[in-house]
Amino acid sequence: ATLSPTTFSLYTLLGDLETIFRTRTEEKNLQFLMERSELSSALICADQGKLRQVFVNLIGNAVKFTDKGGVAVRVRLEPHGTKEKGDSEALRLIAEVEDTGQGIPAGEVEKIFDAFYQAEIGLKEGGTGLGLAISRKFIEMMGGTLRVRSTVGRGSRFLFDVVVGLPDPLFAEQQAVVPRHIQGIAAGLGPYRVLLVDDVPANLVLLREMLGPIGFELKEACNGLEALEMFESWEPHAILMDMRMPIMDGYEASRIIKTSPRGALTYVIALTASAFEDYKEKVMETGVDLYMRKPFQTDELYDALAQGLGLHYTYTDDYEELHGEENWVTSESISYVPENWVQTLKEAVNEGDIAHVMELIHFLELEKPKMAKELQKLAEQFDYETLLERLRKIDESYG
């Protein structure tokens, strides 16, 4: 493996990871905390794919081996080096992933970084025993270290630091432009049928949440054999194909589909978690049209489908309308919110009952997703003072 540094938003990368793992932690009734508030304008130059893979491995393990409590991810940037040494054009990214899981016995702490080694708990949960070995290798390639502190019965804390560069000035200038947000597929186009193929339910949920709201028609398959049957009966315009699945993997399914007359016209995107470049060549040999590494950014998938299907989206340029702290607290925006809900949530906040707070906030997710997301973020950061201030403004809007 070699490093391929690019300039990207660290805040956005962590946001994508939060979206992916929040679904998994909610399925296990775990609390999930992502501390990235001070990184809102952080652009860095590093190998985004490898850095993302490290986070995926560490957070994935934390969720897998935690049955109660929660998982916390904390990330910060610090200056690296000194001007005298001529290395002031770099930063040090420091991260930790902490869980309240089962912990690792002292005698196994160092062994877990060996390739194919699995601790006793890992053997029970399954896996390859490669995730931590690959993560440590990638971190060392980026000039950092990976270490762990763990106590049996209390949980584990993985810490790593890597050296990252400052952003390309031109890229930073481009990112300063207010982003446009996709509302849906342009009128008069479609409908576009997209088949989602993955054996992990959480991955299918994430893809549904990305594509369903903007107008794609979706169906799902959990292995290659089901994908072939759905391809024949439903005739999708595009297929998002996971490569590693039981019964029939994505390699065989993709080969069969792309060698058929209709399959040659079907846009197939291969989805894989591999971080190795030679793996890409193996995937492309199946005839797929595009290769994407998981986890990917939402905009990457939107752009890929737009290019492959020749479609266009409608956008909104009103960033403040979507993200402003005040605009969602209006008489119109709270039309769905019951007045007694506000009072009940206030009581839960004042009592510090985080479980009840989250339950009440989830009540809004379908009808008022932006409001729910803002309140949920405040609750997860334990910023009860600001949360109560938001609720006070909702109260005032009733008057």
Side-chain angles (χ1 to χ4, degrees):
T2 57
L3 291 177
S4 302
T6 58
T7 297
F8 63 94
S9 167
L10 178 59
Y11 186 88
T12 301
L13 169 62
L14 296 173
D16 291 340
L17 293 170
E18 182 178 14
T19 299
I20 292 168
F21 286 103
R22 186 164 303 287
T23 300
R24 302 184 190 179
T25 51
E26 287 177 352
E27 289 176 350
K28 298 184 70 172
N29 294 317
L30 300 174
Q31 185 178 353
F32 185 61
L33 175 65
M34 174 74 78
E35 293 186 0
R36 59 190 176 107
S37 58
E38 296 181 2
L39 303 174
S40 58
S41 60
L43 295 174
I44 62 174
C45 184
D47 190 318
Q48 182 176 192
K50 291 181 176 59
L51 188 59
R52 183 182 299 179
Q53 188 68 46
V54 170
F55 275 115
V56 168
N57 287 340
L58 297 182
I59 302 173
N61 281 346
V63 175
K64 181 192 294 186
F65 299 123
T66 302
D67 296 320
K68 61 181 180 180
V71 175
V73 182
R74 304 179 183 91
V75 183
R76 69 181 190 274
L77 290 171
E78 294 183 354
H80 173 70
T82 63
K83 291 183 179 180
E84 289 75 14
K85 292 182 179 180
D87 54 5
S88 59
E89 296 299 307
L91 300 169
R92 184 165 291 277
L93 185 154
I94 301 172
E96 60 180 88
V97 178
E98 185 175 10
D99 64 66
T100 58
Q102 301 176 42
I104 307 165
E108 296 185 328
V109 166
E110 280 304 314
K111 294 179 181 178
I112 60 174
F113 294 107
D114 296 338
F116 301 110
Y117 180 85
Q118 287 182 286
E120 184 177 349
I121 184 176
L123 293 172
K124 295 177 182 178
E125 294 290 339
T128 62
L130 281 172
L132 289 175
I134 292 173
S135 295
R136 173 172 272 187
K137 177 63 176 178
F138 286 171
I139 288 170
E140 290 175 348
M141 289 174 63
M142 290 184 275
T145 57
L146 172 63
R147 51 204 182 279
V148 60
R149 301 170 186 169
S150 187
T151 303
V152 174
R154 297 182 60 182
S156 302
R157 184 178 172 214
F158 284 82
L159 305 95
F160 73 86
D161 63 291
V162 295
V163 178
V164 299
L166 296 176
D168 181 296
L170 178 61
F171 182 90
E173 182 179 336
Q174 293 172 343
Q175 293 299 300
V177 179
V178 175
R180 298 191 301 167
H181 299 271
I182 292 176
Q183 289 181 316
I185 299 172
L189 300 177
Y192 291 98
R193 298 182 297 276
V194 180
L195 176 60
L196 313 177
V197 189
D198 202 305
D199 63 318
V200 179
N203 292 343
L204 292 174
V205 170
L206 177 63
L207 291 172
R208 283 202 307 270
E209 292 175 349
M210 287 181 177
L211 302 178
I214 63 173
F216 287 102
E217 293 184 1
L218 307 174
K219 287 195 174 182
E220 302 169 6
C222 63
N223 58 63
L225 190 59
E226 285 189 8
L228 292 179
E229 295 172 354
M230 198 71 68
F231 169 73
E232 292 294 336
S233 62
W234 194 49
E235 300 185 6
H237 297 92
I239 302 175
L240 305 185
M241 181 76 75
D242 183 39
M243 303 311 289
R244 292 184 177 179
M245 296 178 292
I247 302 178
M248 178 187 289
D249 61 26
Y251 294 96
E252 185 175 357
S254 297
R255 287 192 187 95
I256 295 173
I257 289 172
K258 295 303 289 185
T259 53
S260 68
R262 189 167 69 247
L265 303 176
T266 303
Y267 191 58
V268 180
I269 302 177
L271 305 179
T272 173
S274 174
F276 296 100
E277 287 299 323
D278 57 350
Y279 188 81
K280 178 179 179 179
E281 297 179 9
K282 180 181 177 183
V283 172
M284 296 303 295
E285 288 174 357
T286 64
V288 300
D289 300 280
L290 186 66
Y291 166 96
M292 292 184 67
R293 290 176 181 167
K294 295 189 291 187
F296 42 80
Q297 296 184 24
T298 304
D299 288 344
E300 289 182 89
L301 182 58
Y302 289 161
D303 290 345
L305 289 171
Q307 182 176 358
L309 299 177
L311 59 86
H312 303 282
Y313 301 112
T314 57
Y315 298 86
T316 175
D317 294 314
D318 196 345
Y319 186 78
E320 288 301 321
E321 180 182 347
L322 289 176
H323 296 276
E325 293 181 350
E326 304 294 335
N327 288 305
W328 54 264
V329 188
T330 64
S331 57
E332 181 179 356
S333 72
I334 66 167
S335 57
Y336 173 80
V337 182
E339 198 164 353
N340 63 344
W341 174 89
V342 178
Q343 299 305 321
T344 305
L345 181 53
K346 277 184 180 180
E347 293 173 5
V349 172
N350 286 322
E351 293 171 1
D353 188 346
I354 186 64
H356 195 197
V357 168
M358 290 302 187
E359 181 182 351
L360 290 165
I361 291 174
H362 289 331
F363 173 78
L364 292 182
E365 285 185 339
L366 289 178
E367 296 292 336
K368 302 293 178 185
K370 287 187 283 295
M371 184 186 295
K373 184 176 181 180
E374 173 71 14
L375 296 176
Q376 180 177 305
K377 181 172 70 173
L378 293 171
E380 288 169 349
Q381 295 173 346
F382 304 105
D383 189 354
Y384 292 158
E385 182 178 351
T386 305
L387 180 54
L388 287 171
E389 177 63 18
R390 297 283 186 271
L391 295 175
R392 183 185 65 77
K393 290 179 179 176
I394 294 177
D395 248 352
E396 291 175 352
S397 296
Y398 282 111

